[in-house]
């Protein structure tokens, strides 16, 4: 994916599809069952190119899923998390929701339908790692 073919991150994050994903994340952030279903949807999701594998230095879907799995564990054990951790987790949940949303900026059924998903997941991975602030 070259800079010329990569959608700008700021436009993706401001898009109606990503805003829908943020609202969905806010709705399900405290629902362990809904989060587990989201992780199942991520594991089963296919793009126009088939499964989207993690790539070295790439999107690290497993990192995002691990953040959500840790959040599920905290929810089911009754452990409270801090507000920064909650904000990061909600953004990661939103990114995973966006990943499996067929009606995102570039529909997944198209041959390049994964490009916007990769950009959003790379951003979410950096948020999860604490490399950039949770906004």
């Amino acid at each position: 994916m070259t800079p010329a073919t990569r959608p700008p991150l700021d436009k993706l994050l401001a898009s109606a599809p990503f805003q829908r994903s943020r609202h969905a994340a806010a709705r399900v952030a405290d629902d362990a069952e809904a989060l587990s279903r989201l992780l199942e949807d991520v594991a089963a999701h296919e793009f126009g190119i088939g499964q989207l594998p993690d790539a070295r230095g790439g999107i690290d879907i497993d990192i995002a899923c691990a953040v959500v799995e840790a959040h599920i564990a905290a929810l089911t054990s009754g452990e409270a998390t801090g507000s920064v951790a909650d904000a990061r987790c909600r953004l990661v949940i939103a990114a995973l929701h966006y990943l499996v949303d067929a009606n995102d900026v570039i529909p997944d059924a198209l041959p390049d339908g994964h490009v916007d998903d990769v950009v959003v997941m790379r951003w979410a991975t950096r948020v999860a790692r604490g490399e950039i602030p949770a906004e």
Side-chain angles (χ1 to χ4, degrees):
M1 177 172 42
T2 65
T5 61
R6 185 178 350 159
L9 177 62
D10 58 338
K11 288 186 179 183
L12 286 174
L13 298 180
S15 70
F18 190 75
Q19 293 307 307
R20 278 195 315 270
S21 292
R22 286 188 78 154
H23 292 296
R27 282 192 311 273
V28 303
D30 295 324
D31 183 341
E33 288 181 29
L35 293 172
S36 294
R37 284 191 301 274
L38 174 62
L39 293 177
E40 291 170 7
D41 290 346
V42 168
H45 189 67
E46 292 195 10
F47 299 81
I49 59 168
Q51 289 281 342
L52 185 64
D54 283 353
R56 184 173 178 207
I59 60 174
D60 297 321
I61 293 172
D62 290 343
I63 291 172
C65 290
V67 168
V68 176
E69 289 166 350
H71 184 68
I72 292 170
L75 287 173
T76 56
S77 69
E79 294 177 19
T81 58
S83 60
V84 172
D86 288 344
R88 286 186 195 289
C89 189
R90 280 192 307 275
L91 289 174
V92 170
I93 293 166
L96 290 172
H97 182 275
Y98 184 88
L99 180 74
V100 298
D101 184 359
N103 297 313
D104 57 14
V105 172
I106 305 173
D108 294 344
L110 296 176
D112 289 334
H114 65 286
V115 173
D116 59 323
D117 301 297
V118 169
V119 171
V120 169
M121 288 308 303
R122 284 186 176 162
W123 167 80
T125 300
R126 293 185 66 211
V127 168
R129 289 181 176 152
E131 295 172 6
I132 57 176
E135 299 173 359

